[in-house]
Amino acid sequence: MSDRVNPLITAQLDALLYGETNLVANLSNASALLKQTLTDVNWAGFYLYQPESDDLILGPFQGNVACVHIENGSGVCGTGLATQTTQLVPDVHAFAGHIACDSASNAEIVVPLTLSDGTKLGVMDIDSPTKGRFTSEDQVVLEDFARTLLKHVDNA
Ligand code: SME
């Protein structure tokens, strides 16, 4: 079976979140959908931006217990936040400053989440035990997934 992220996951999310705008509920179900749908993934979830301390705090996720605070600009998540660009990391051990929360993780993708008014919500973070697990095709699908998620929390 291919590990390619199936683009249908975005339609599944859209249906799953239909009619609900609660942030915690939607992030919780989105992380569960990612974890139960994607193959070869050991952690999927969210870090939320806290403007008062300019850092990220652990949000809803599926996987092993994880680091609670990540500074803006630190690690893969903080870099995604600071640069507002997706971080596609084929080998986390080659990423300077990578924060090892789960020793099983070898590849990672982080997609920044920003509301339509420019408010930084945080980042979506997905880890895999397999180096090179995420492709640029997967990135396109997961960025689309993130846009759909934002659509559901934007008018909350
Ligand atoms: N590896 C991340 C930290 C979060 S865990 O992967 C869940 C990072 O470098 O920011």
Side-chain angles (χ1 to χ4, degrees):
M1 190 175 78
S2 163
D3 276 334
R4 181 167 176 247
V5 178
N6 190 326
L8 286 174
I9 192 172
T10 299
Q12 285 180 282
L13 181 75
D14 205 23
L16 183 65
L17 304 189
Y18 179 77
E20 183 54 70
T21 55
N22 182 272
L23 180 63
V24 172
N26 285 349
L27 296 183
S28 300
N29 265 336
S31 64
L33 182 64
L34 288 167
K35 184 68 166 55
Q36 74 190 47
T37 306
L38 303 189
T39 54
D40 203 20
V41 158
N42 59 296
W43 201 95
F46 298 90
Y47 279 91
L48 301 175
Y49 182 57
Q50 306 190 108
E52 60 283 4
S53 45
D54 190 33
D55 69 355
L56 290 163
I57 192 159
L58 183 63
F61 71 96
Q62 298 268 310
N64 285 353
V65 293
C67 329
V68 176
H69 292 277
I70 297 178
E71 282 177 34
N72 192 357
S74 289
V76 185
C77 291
T79 301
L81 175 73
T83 61
Q84 289 290 291
T85 56
T86 296
Q87 302 296 303
L88 179 60
V89 183
D91 179 0
V92 294
H93 307 290
F95 187 100
H98 162 252
I99 301 163
C101 285
D102 184 341
S103 60
S105 300
N106 283 310
E108 182 163 6
I109 184 166
V110 167
V111 180
L113 302 172
T114 303
L115 299 177
S116 55
D117 67 358
T119 305
K120 290 173 188 168
L121 186 65
V123 300
M124 178 171 86
D125 180 17
I126 308 172
D127 290 14
S128 169
T130 302
K131 286 182 185 171
R133 160 70 183 83
F134 304 107
T135 64
S136 49
E137 268 188 339
D138 295 337
Q139 176 177 341
V140 170
V141 174
L142 292 170
E143 287 175 343
D144 195 36
F145 181 93
R147 266 191 299 277
T148 295
L149 175 61
L150 284 167
K151 185 186 82 180
H152 285 276
V153 298
D154 223 354
N155 42 17

